[in-house]
Amino acid sequence: QSALTQPASVSGSHGQSITISCTGTSSDVGGYNYVSWYQQHPGKAPKLMIYEVRYRPSGVSDRFSGSKSGNTASLTISGLQAEDEADYYCSSYTSSNSLHVFGTGTKVTVI
Amino acid sequence: EVQLVESGGGLVKPGGSLRLSCAASGFTFENAWLSWVRQAPGKGPEWVGRTRGKTDGGTTQYAAPVRDRFTISRDDSKATVYLQMNSLQAEDTAVYYCTTDIATWFDYWGQGALVTVSS
């Protein structure tokens, strides 16, 4: 099972909006509304930011939003803040025998 | 407050074995699904496997790369889940995270346990 494809890096100025893409196939991203997104600061565990494509867990800022079109999911961060600088990973349920697949990761830099 | 605390990581030689533990608190453990997710240095996370809760039969599922070498078990009386890893290879080197598992996403994560496979 290949990892989902994400851009290696995305940058934006403080206060701007950025979007991170996550491309899979019809066997994962495109076939199910089971995409989730995780934020990971250096040396820390991943933190759930979005589940089932567009839902935010309690406590996650509404500056984070998710969407999906076809085989590509997206995470948008609006009003970019310094604390948003981190690695972001998407994940999807997959019909392959490994059941869950993660993305290659995107490093977000606030400039 | 949900807490997951992994232990048991360390350095092991190729072909060796290691058992990780994950002590949980802050939720009803016996019905909870729990997964192990690993992350190799500089790489994205990789799902390893899961144990379902008591009401779902306590069954396990594994990712293909570890299916014949790793075993997940649980002790509901101790609110602890285990990952027994056998026939370890260099490519198993990673930080291993214990997570609560909602079937299609992973909501709470432990701090991780580093496993290094090297001679």
Side-chain angles (χ1 to χ4, degrees), chain A residues 34 36 38 40 43-48 51-52 89 91 93 97-100 102-104, chain B residues 37 39 43-47 50 61-65 67 97 103-107 109-110:
Chain A
Y34 294 144
S36 51
Y38 303 86
Q40 186 176 34
K44 300 294 187 183
K47 174 188 175 185
L48 177 69
Y51 65 95
E52 290 187 345
Y89 295 96
S91 179
Y93 174 81
N97 58 8
S98 284
L99 297 184
H100 296 279
F102 283 86
T104 51
Chain B
V37 176
Q39 188 171 25
K43 303 292 187 181
E46 178 187 21
W47 180 73
R50 68 160 51 102
Q61 292 178 295
Y62 300 93
R67 187 163 293 144
Y97 294 101
T104 55
W105 74 88
F106 309 102
D107 51 357
W109 297 59

Side-chain angles (χ1 to χ4, degrees), chain A residues 62-83:
Chain A
D62 60 5
R63 297 186 298 103
F64 291 84
S65 61
S67 62
K68 192 186 86 167
S69 177
N71 294 338
T72 298
S74 298
L75 174 71
T76 297
I77 309 174
S78 58
L80 204 58
Q81 305 287 319
E83 61 262 32

Side-chain angles (χ1 to χ4, degrees), chain B:
Chain B
E1 179 193 6
V2 172
Q3 285 201 326
L4 300 165
V5 179
E6 300 95 337
S7 60
L11 175 64
V12 61
K13 288 181 167 52
S17 298
L18 203 62
R19 189 178 84 155
L20 302 181
S21 301
C22 171
S25 61
F27 60 96
T28 303
F29 184 86
E30 68 175 16
N31 293 328
W33 292 28
L34 293 132
S35 269
W36 288 95
V37 176
R38 67 184 180 182
Q39 188 171 25
K43 303 292 187 181
E46 178 187 21
W47 180 73
V48 171
R50 68 160 51 102
T51 171
R52 294 185 176 93
K54 186 176 183 178
T55 54
D56 296 299
T59 53
T60 53
Q61 292 178 295
Y62 300 93
V66 308
R67 187 163 293 144
D68 299 326
R69 301 183 296 124
F70 290 11
T71 302
I72 296 173
S73 61
R74 61 193 294 158
D75 185 337
D76 291 344
S77 69
K78 295 182 179 179
T80 299
V81 63
Y82 304 98
L83 177 64
Q84 176 67 42
M85 303 181 288
N86 298 330
S87 302
L88 283 161
Q89 305 158 9
E91 50 267 37
D92 296 315
T93 293
V95 175
Y96 285 73
Y97 294 101
C98 172
T99 78
T100 54
D101 179 345
I102 312 299
T104 55
W105 74 88
F106 309 102
D107 51 357
Y108 294 98
W109 297 59
Q111 87 287 350
L114 176 62
V115 173
T116 303
V117 184
S118 174
S119 55

Side-chain angles (χ1 to χ4, degrees), chain A residues 4-11 19-23 37 72-75 87-90 103-108:
Chain A
L4 305 174
T5 301
Q6 299 179 232
S9 62
V10 172
S11 61
T19 297
I20 303 167
S21 62
C22 169
T23 301
W37 289 89
T72 298
S74 298
L75 174 71
D87 293 325
Y88 291 82
Y89 295 96
C90 61
T104 51
T106 299
K107 181 176 181 59
V108 167

